[in-house]
Structure formats: C-alpha cells, structure tokens
Amino acid sequence: MKQGEIKIAGVAHPVRFNMLAIESAFMALEIQDFSQLEKLNNKAIGKSMATTRIVAFEGIKSGYKHLDVPCPYKSADHLAESVTNFNELTAIWPLFTESVQAFFGE
C-alpha cells in the first residue's frame, strides 16, 4: 500500500490508498473493469479534472483516517474549493497507480 502526501494551497495532506480508498474511487468513477483504468488519461479535460479530484479526495480521506485525524474535507467537491492549481492534484496519480498495481498484483 503506497502512502505519501500532496500539497494543496501550500498545505501538505497525507495520502494512503488502502482497499477501501481504491474501492471508493472506483465506485465514484463507475469503473467496472481494469480496461477502463487505461482510458482514464484519455478523457476530456472536464472529466479528467473530476477523476483526479475524486481520486485525490479518496486518498486524502484514507490518509487522515489512518492517522486517526479528521479529514479537513467533507467531500471531493469540498476539496475542490481549496485547489489553486490543477498540478497540485496531479501528484496523486503515481501514488494511486502504484497502490492499485500493488493491491491487485501478486
């Protein structure tokens, strides 16, 4: 399970993708099989932004839960209010990708 952090508006947030965080991201994004994971990077910009926001929120929520600290964001929409630059959220992809590969790998 990959752990790390991302900075949003200059504030570092813990990130952790455990089974529940991966599952929650898949459910929110309506991912039904692994072939759809490959298509995530090929979607329109609006969909890409929403996908990245949801994945970031689920990782941040899990990171705070692991630390037994309340998450400062109530939802992925609430997280969006703090984002000042899309690049802040794109840092989530390596953590998510590695976590998914490790979780479903051997």
Side-chain angles (χ1 to χ4, degrees):
M1 165 177 351
K2 188 73 175 167
Q3 299 184 96
E5 69 177 28
I6 62 171
K7 288 187 178 182
I8 299 172
V11 177
H13 297 280
V15 173
R16 180 174 182 254
F17 284 106
N18 62 3
M19 179 182 175
L20 182 59
I22 293 169
E23 178 185 334
S24 296
F26 284 4
M27 297 288 287
L29 297 170
E30 299 178 0
I31 303 235
Q32 297 183 19
D33 61 58
F34 292 115
S35 69
Q36 292 178 307
L37 287 174
E38 297 170 9
K39 297 178 183 177
L40 286 178
N41 293 333
N42 298 328
K43 297 195 178 208
I45 189 70
K47 186 69 171 176
S48 178
M49 289 172 64
T51 299
T52 302
R53 177 176 47 87
I54 290 166
V55 169
F57 171 71
E58 294 300 338
I60 291 168
K61 182 173 72 171
S62 179
Y64 277 107
K65 184 176 182 178
H66 180 69
L67 296 175
D68 201 23
V69 174
C71 181
Y73 304 112
K74 296 176 181 133
S75 66
D77 290 351
H78 187 231
L79 166 66
E81 297 294 327
S82 297
V83 177
T84 59
N85 184 301
F86 187 62
N87 288 331
E88 294 173 333
L89 291 185
T90 59
I92 203 68
W93 285 114
L95 293 167
F96 182 70
T97 302
E98 290 175 33
S99 296
V100 169
Q101 289 172 347
F103 183 76
F104 289 103
E106 295 179 19

